[in-house]
Amino acid sequence: PPLFVHCCHCHWCQRETGSAFVINALIEGCYVERLGDRPMIDRIPSASGRGQQVARCACCKTAVWSHYSLGEALYFIRVGTIDEPDLLPPDAHIFVASKQKWLSLTDRKPVCLDFYDREELWPEESLRRFEALTASEGV
């Protein structure tokens, strides 16, 4: 299972997806198996100023995942690109300060004005896995 799944409502994700939000499943790179052609990697800006790498399908150019500060050690997989996206509903909504005004959040998931406190929201097992990941990456 993913470490965590979040629905991001920030303006950057809205612009990048052309939609009201993006749903990302955070998964350690060691559990990700690439199928098909090697993706195209685009470096694009982010609100943090550190930027992100977006992997796009070489054929249709759809964004499939992103990497942030941990690089390929941690994948932010676009849930809408997997075969059964209904299996990964969001665990939380983030950056709701910039969510579309017409969108009502009625799923009773935690709502965060900006990013969340990992220690507060993530399950214990996910925190242990993340700690192991960052230790192995020297972070």
Side-chain angles (χ1 to χ4, degrees), residues 10-110:
C10 79
H11 284 151
W12 287 84
C13 285
Q14 290 174 25
R15 202 171 308 128
E16 182 187 323
T17 63
S19 185
F21 52 82
V22 67
I23 302 175
N24 288 311
L26 284 63
I27 301 175
E28 300 100 314
C30 63
Y31 297 124
V32 175
E33 181 182 355
R34 296 180 190 175
L35 303 174
D37 293 336
R38 203 161 173 71
M40 298 172 33
I41 304 295
D42 287 331
R43 292 186 164 278
I44 64 172
S46 67
S48 70
R50 293 185 299 252
Q52 66 174 304
Q53 293 178 349
V54 177
R56 298 183 183 282
C57 170
C59 296
C60 69
K61 312 301 185 257
T62 297
V64 184
W65 66 74
S66 288
H67 295 298
Y68 294 90
S69 59
L70 289 176
E72 290 191 19
L74 185 63
Y75 283 63
F76 286 64
I77 296 183
R78 305 295 197 282
V79 170
T81 66
I82 65 173
D83 289 339
E84 297 183 59
D86 295 344
L87 297 177
L88 295 176
D91 296 308
H93 295 273
I94 61 174
F95 293 100
V96 298
S98 54
K99 81 167 186 58
Q100 293 296 304
K101 304 286 186 246
W102 51 262
L103 181 63
S104 298
L105 302 177
T106 59
D107 61 0
R108 296 188 175 153
K109 300 295 183 172

Side-chain angles (χ1 to χ4, degrees), residues 110-129:
V111 172
C112 308
L113 289 179
D114 47 37
F115 204 68
Y116 49 79
D117 180 348
R118 194 175 12 250
E119 300 288 328
E120 182 182 321
L121 293 183
W122 282 27
E124 287 296 321
E125 176 61 20
S126 292
L127 290 171
R128 280 192 291 278
R129 287 168 47 199

